[in-house]
Amino acid sequence: MRKTSINLIILFAVLCIFGCNKKENQSKTQPETMENIQVSDYGVTSKGDSIKKYTLTNKNGMKLEVINFGGIITSLTAPDKNGKYEDVVLGFTKPEDYFNGNPYYFGALIGRYGNRIANAKFTLEGKSYDIDKNDGPNSLHGGKEGFHTKFWNIEPVKDTKFPTLKLTYTSADGEEGYPGKLTTTVLYTLTDDNALEISYEAETDKPTVVNLTQHSYFNLSGNFSKAILDHELQINADKFTPVNETLIPTGEQKAVKGSAFDFTVSKAIGKDINADDDQLKKGKGYDHNWILNGSGLRSIAKVYHPESGRVMEVLTDEPGVQFYSGNFLDGKFDTKTGGKNEFRTGFCLETQHFPDSPNQTSFPSTELKPGEKYQSKTIYKFSVKQ
């Protein structure tokens, strides 16, 4: 009897150990899925990287979808005046179109330097650097293989009030010609007041230049084959930076008052877009940097779509915003709602430092030194106007 009891005790102990090990192994192999963050397979790049899609959902049912290729936002929903949630960011219908070039930079994180640098070169602390020339004579959005083409590590952040993703990427010294090893962290947070918050941080081991931004194209109608000219835009800026023939700022800071560039009072994007204006001709529409009023985190722009009732407010601590009216969309790709991504079917409000700042001493500096931390925050907040 005593021997049987000992055997039973041993058997019970073995089962407990086996059960604990099985539970531990299961927890290690399960995908990092939380209640309001779902992880799924998205595709495989030509380099063999397995790409995941992360879907964040807030308490209202608003959804944000992000992939770990380029930190790209592939979908973001917002309610209309009838409470209907629809996707409001342009994107491709096939994963490979993101992986194989993404010529419009749909939804991507942009770095090391958002916007253009003249003649693809700059001088920093007496040393000249040649960077990738991918936009005529200039460098655009960090070069052909900028941050929008990179594999980002993504982790859902635990114990946060709202669903949050932490994205990290380390850019090697000399990547695309930029000096310094740059470690970048971006947080995407979807709040319960229907806002997408984007926080950026970066550190370097050598002096370098940094200008990070997010390149989502918006169409608040929810129909991506419709032009955005009926959207009403207000920008809190009294000046903008005129450009030359290759869209590099001339250095002038020009008042918007009395011009087609005056959005200090809300007006339809299409109201003046075809005006007889040399700057509009150079950009084929709006593709310019506005010098924002104020400083610190503040409201800098609002967009209203009368038909749907959707409103998007943009807040940032950056000194500038690039308003781009989708002038280079060319109808080569299908939209997610049918039809094609045609001319002016999406707009961007890219919060940033000014284009070509490394070559223009009168512009706010984009230099980052070892021991310093680059920090920036932008919020896209959605609401409804009846």
Side-chain angles (χ1 to χ4, degrees):
M1 182 76 177
R2 185 179 176 188
K3 187 176 181 181
T4 303
S5 298
I6 292 171
N7 287 340
L8 286 171
I9 291 169
I10 292 171
L11 178 62
F12 179 73
V14 169
L15 288 172
C16 283
I17 292 169
F18 176 76
C20 289
N21 285 342
K22 186 177 179 183
K23 186 176 181 181
E24 183 180 347
N25 288 335
Q26 281 179 336
S27 67
K28 287 179 179 178
T29 57
Q30 284 175 346
E32 230 178 329
T33 300
M34 300 160 68
E35 185 180 354
N36 49 13
I37 302 178
Q38 300 298 315
V39 187
S40 58
D41 292 326
Y42 187 75
V44 179
T45 71
S46 59
K47 295 180 181 178
D49 289 323
S50 178
I51 304 304
K52 299 290 185 182
K53 181 176 75 174
Y54 297 77
T55 303
L56 283 63
T57 308
N58 72 5
K59 71 174 186 180
N60 308 314
M62 182 178 182
K63 291 183 184 294
L64 168 70
E65 294 181 357
V66 178
I67 59 175
N68 53 351
F69 181 86
I72 291 170
I73 293 173
T74 60
S75 178
L76 177 65
T77 66
D80 67 5
K81 58 189 175 186
N82 298 314
K84 183 181 180 182
Y85 280 81
E86 290 181 298
D87 194 358
V88 293
V89 293
L90 275 63
F92 297 115
T93 58
K94 296 180 290 187
E96 55 265 33
D97 290 333
Y98 288 112
F99 306 156
N100 299 332
N102 189 2
Y104 314 121
Y105 302 91
F106 277 159
L109 288 174
I110 302 297
R112 292 188 187 191
Y113 200 95
N115 219 308
R116 295 172 175 87
I117 294 181
N119 301 310
K121 63 174 58 180
F122 62 90
T123 300
L124 188 61
E125 298 194 341
K127 186 175 180 180
S128 181
Y129 294 93
D130 291 309
I131 54 178
D132 186 51
K133 190 179 290 186
N134 66 325
D135 183 51
N138 307 316
S139 184
L140 175 65
H141 293 332
K144 185 178 179 181
E145 296 194 11
F147 287 7
H148 64 290
T149 69
K150 302 302 182 181
F151 181 87
W152 289 72
N153 182 64
I154 296 187
E155 303 171 49
V157 181
K158 297 176 181 177
D159 302 321
T160 55
K161 186 176 181 180
F162 305 115
T164 300
L165 296 177
K166 179 182 178 182
L167 296 82
T168 53
Y169 174 69
T170 300
S171 175
D173 181 19
E175 185 176 279
E176 297 296 276
Y178 288 91
K181 175 184 173 184
L182 188 77
T183 303
T184 302
T185 301
V186 178
L187 297 179
Y188 283 141
T189 299
L190 187 64
T191 70
D192 283 344
D193 60 352
N194 286 358
L196 167 60
E197 297 185 355
I198 307 172
S199 301
Y200 307 85
E201 287 189 358
E203 295 180 290
T204 184
D205 64 355
K206 290 182 183 178
T208 192
V209 294
V210 185
N211 190 27
L212 306 179
T213 193
Q214 219 292 333
H215 209 292
S216 284
Y217 289 69
F218 298 94
N219 187 323
L220 301 186
S221 75
N223 182 340
F224 302 129
S225 61
K226 280 188 173 182
I228 46 82
L229 301 181
D230 61 342
H231 288 53
E232 297 175 8
L233 171 65
Q234 182 266 332
I235 303 176
N236 185 19
D238 296 325
K239 296 179 181 179
F240 78 107
T241 51
V243 296
N244 65 18
E245 290 75 13
T246 66
L247 302 183
I248 294 292
T250 62
E252 182 185 4
Q253 299 185 21
K254 188 174 183 180
V256 300
K257 189 174 181 180
S259 77
F261 289 78
D262 189 353
F263 285 93
T264 53
V265 176
S266 182
K267 69 178 180 183
I269 291 171
K271 183 176 186 293
D272 297 318
I273 201 168
N274 295 315
D276 184 15
D277 184 293
D278 177 62
Q279 284 296 305
L280 289 173
K281 290 174 184 176
K282 285 174 177 171
K284 297 185 179 180
Y286 297 108
D287 191 5
H288 297 74
N289 168 66
W290 270 253
I291 301 170
L292 298 171
N293 298 335
S295 60
L297 186 65
R298 73 278 192 209
S299 179
I300 61 100
K302 278 188 180 179
V303 189
Y304 169 53
H305 182 246
E307 186 179 345
S308 68
R310 290 188 178 95
V311 177
M312 183 178 79
E313 181 181 12
V314 185
L315 301 91
T316 191
D317 53 14
E318 288 283 353
V321 65
Q322 185 86 1
F323 167 46
Y324 170 53
S325 52
N327 314 310
F328 296 101
L329 295 173
D330 52 14
K332 290 182 180 177
F333 294 88
D334 294 332
T335 81
K336 294 180 284 183
T337 56
K340 300 285 186 180
N341 287 308
E342 302 282 1
F343 183 58
R344 296 176 180 166
T345 53
F347 69 90
C348 302
L349 287 166
E350 304 156 58
T351 56
Q352 56 172 22
H353 271 56
F354 302 173
D356 200 37
S357 288
N359 295 313
Q360 308 218 24
T361 56
S362 64
F363 289 177
S365 175
T366 54
E367 183 178 354
L368 181 69
K369 296 179 180 179
E372 297 177 343
K373 183 177 284 189
Y374 171 101
Q375 291 181 303
S376 180
K377 187 170 186 175
T378 292
I379 301 171
Y380 295 95
K381 186 176 181 180
F382 296 86
S383 60
V384 172
K385 182 178 176 181
Q386 297 291 342

